[in-house]
Amino acid sequence: MRVFSGIQPSGPAHLGNYLGAFRQWVDVQSPDAFYCVVDLHALTLEIAPDVLRAQTTDLLATLMASGLDPEICTIFIQSQVPYHAQLSWLLECVATSGELSRMTAFKEKSQRQEGYRVGLLTYPVLMAADILLYETEEVPVGDDQRQHLELTRDVAEKFNHRFGETFRLPVGTQPKVAARVMDLQEPTRKMSKSISSPLGKLYMFDSPADIEKKIAKAVTDNDGEVRFDWIKKPGVSNLLEIYSSLSGETPQQVASRYTRYGELKSDLAELIIKTLAPLKQRRDELLESPEDLYRVAARGADKAAAVAGAVYRRAATAMGLT
Ligand code: ATP
Ligand code: LTN
């Protein structure tokens, strides 16, 4: 099964990235799986060049510390494989501005930037290129990416219809629990690297004291009942869902053990700290020799380019390029 997924180096990874994405990635890793740090996508945000580079390195280490093994799957950096940007241009000449301006992520992010830059609008086309270049069958992602996956399929279908069968149509897969970890301060919106407030997002490598503080301060409600109900109790339900994804129980089973928010919160903080501590240690070790990480990425880029190059040429030829 050909698998592709990506993460933006827009900041250190948070719990939503780990539970919604990385754990699935590890579960389905194989020689047919490609995982990419999508640095070209992160250019749509305002990030200083040295910060972008440092975050890219950090994410390589985070992915490997989370369990991705470069001996089993391919891990690489998007900008080191030029076909992503090249195919993106071809697809920009297929997708319409109507399709792109309907994207929820675009609407949210463009409101935050006055005079937003064009890359924010065309972002999903680059994502479509990422996926289609690898003849991807499955894209393990969090729930927030469903709409982008639909667009990828639409663009691929339109291309195939107009220029002949070129791309395979991918499907997105979400984890059964924690596909959408919510912001701890605003539990009706997703936890996000670039949008959530400092207390709203829990980084994978926050200190134990910060994890305790952020969970203790997580917004709940006033009725004092520990019950799983996304409509009436989004804050508590988010905590229960995070707990259940770490312990393997159902959220209802977890809820049945607690009568007080405080106890649920302190047990949850402990569980998060215990789960992430060994990953933090491994990530710190990996960051001690960045040259090794760059070697992994360079080898990954070579393997990726061999696959992506053939698909790019097929698409370019189909469109009439010489
Ligand atoms: P940004 O805020 O910069 O858009 P992000 O936090 O949304 O960043 P991405 O790099 O865009 O994270 O996403 C990497 C992966 O993590 C994607 O598969 C995405 O679906 C998943 N993911 C992101 N946020 C969450 C979340 N809150 N819950 C579950 N999965 C998530
Ligand atoms: N758009 C995604 C990141 C991303 C991606 C991809 C995910 C870029 N290219 C290809 C899966 C496959 C996001 O914002 N989370």
Side-chain angles (χ1 to χ4, degrees):
M1 172 75 70
R2 178 60 59 81
V3 170
F4 181 96
S5 201
I7 174 151
Q8 299 188 71
S10 46
H14 57 66
L15 194 62
N17 300 136
Y18 179 63
L19 299 176
F22 305 164
R23 283 203 319 188
Q24 296 191 77
W25 297 8
V26 172
D27 284 347
V28 296
Q29 70 177 322
S30 78
D32 238 4
F34 293 77
Y35 299 113
C36 185
V37 178
V38 291
D39 54 352
L40 296 174
H41 279 91
L43 293 177
T44 57
L45 299 156
E46 246 165 81
I47 307 184
D50 51 342
V51 175
L52 178 59
R53 249 186 306 273
Q55 285 175 176
T56 300
T57 313
D58 181 69
L59 269 187
L60 286 173
T62 302
L63 292 180
M64 287 164 63
S66 299
L68 288 186
D69 181 346
E71 300 300 323
I72 299 177
C73 62
T74 300
I75 304 170
F76 70 105
I77 298 171
Q78 185 186 30
S79 63
Q80 295 184 356
V81 178
Y83 304 112
H84 291 248
Q86 285 179 272
L87 182 62
S88 186
W89 174 254
L90 305 192
L91 298 181
E92 275 184 37
C93 297
V94 173
T96 64
S97 68
E99 280 171 314
L100 297 178
S101 50
R102 273 199 295 278
M103 295 291 111
T104 314
F106 166 71
K107 286 197 240 169
E108 270 226 322
K109 291 185 178 172
S110 60
Q111 274 169 10
R112 288 166 187 265
Q113 288 180 20
E114 210 180 311
Y116 67 84
R117 286 176 299 273
V118 181
L120 202 62
L121 179 67
T122 56
Y123 175 111
V125 181
L126 178 58
M127 174 164 168
D130 297 341
I131 296 169
L132 299 175
L133 277 174
Y134 296 88
E135 303 190 275
T136 305
E137 295 169 85
E138 251 186 34
V139 187
V141 277
D143 192 56
D144 58 311
Q145 295 303 310
R146 278 176 195 268
Q147 206 186 21
H148 289 158
L149 253 301
E150 281 303 308
L151 182 97
T152 300
R153 292 173 59 90
D154 289 348
V155 171
E157 270 186 320
K158 228 193 291 180
F159 189 107
N160 287 347
H161 183 70
R162 189 158 153 213
F163 299 109
E165 272 314 299
T166 305
F167 298 121
R168 185 185 256 171
L169 299 192
V171 293
T173 55
Q174 278 80 40
K176 289 197 184 64
V177 277
R180 193 174 190 84
V181 174
M182 306 309 267
D183 184 302
L184 297 173
Q185 289 298 311
E186 288 182 72
T188 50
R189 64 156 64 234
K190 75 155 195 143
M191 186 181 287
S192 150
K193 280 194 244 95
S194 53
I195 296 177
S196 291
S197 67
L199 276 180
K201 60 191 159 194
L202 211 158
Y203 290 122
M204 284 178 71
F205 304 122
D206 268 341
S207 68
D210 280 346
I211 294 177
E212 278 164 9
K213 183 175 85 186
K214 290 182 187 181
I215 297 291
K217 291 194 177 216
V219 165
T220 49
D221 52 55
N222 291 327
D223 83 8
E225 195 189 342
V226 180
R227 185 162 50 85
F228 188 61
D229 179 343
W230 274 114
I231 308 286
K232 298 214 176 86
K233 302 172 72 70
V236 176
S237 302
N238 191 32
L239 299 178
L240 289 170
E241 182 138 345
I242 295 171
Y243 196 124
S244 97
S245 82
L246 293 170
S247 74
E249 301 157 281
T250 64
Q252 289 81 359
Q253 281 169 331
V254 179
S256 70
R257 287 207 306 278
Y258 292 95
T259 51
R260 271 187 255 243
Y261 295 166
E263 283 168 17
L264 168 66
K265 284 178 164 181
S266 59
D267 284 2
L268 174 59
E270 198 183 315
L271 184 57
I272 295 172
I273 293 166
K274 201 175 78 194
T275 307
L276 296 177
L279 277 61
K280 182 170 166 51
Q281 195 185 338
R282 176 91 186 106
R283 174 257 201 176
D284 292 347
E285 284 163 16
L286 288 162
L287 282 175
E288 276 169 25
S289 19
E291 330 68 61
D292 291 344
L293 294 171
Y294 301 143
R295 253 195 299 279
V296 165
R299 196 154 48 94
D302 284 345
K303 283 202 273 173
V307 177
V311 176
Y312 171 75
R313 277 187 288 278
R314 197 162 76 214
T317 306
M319 288 182 101
L321 301 181
T322 52

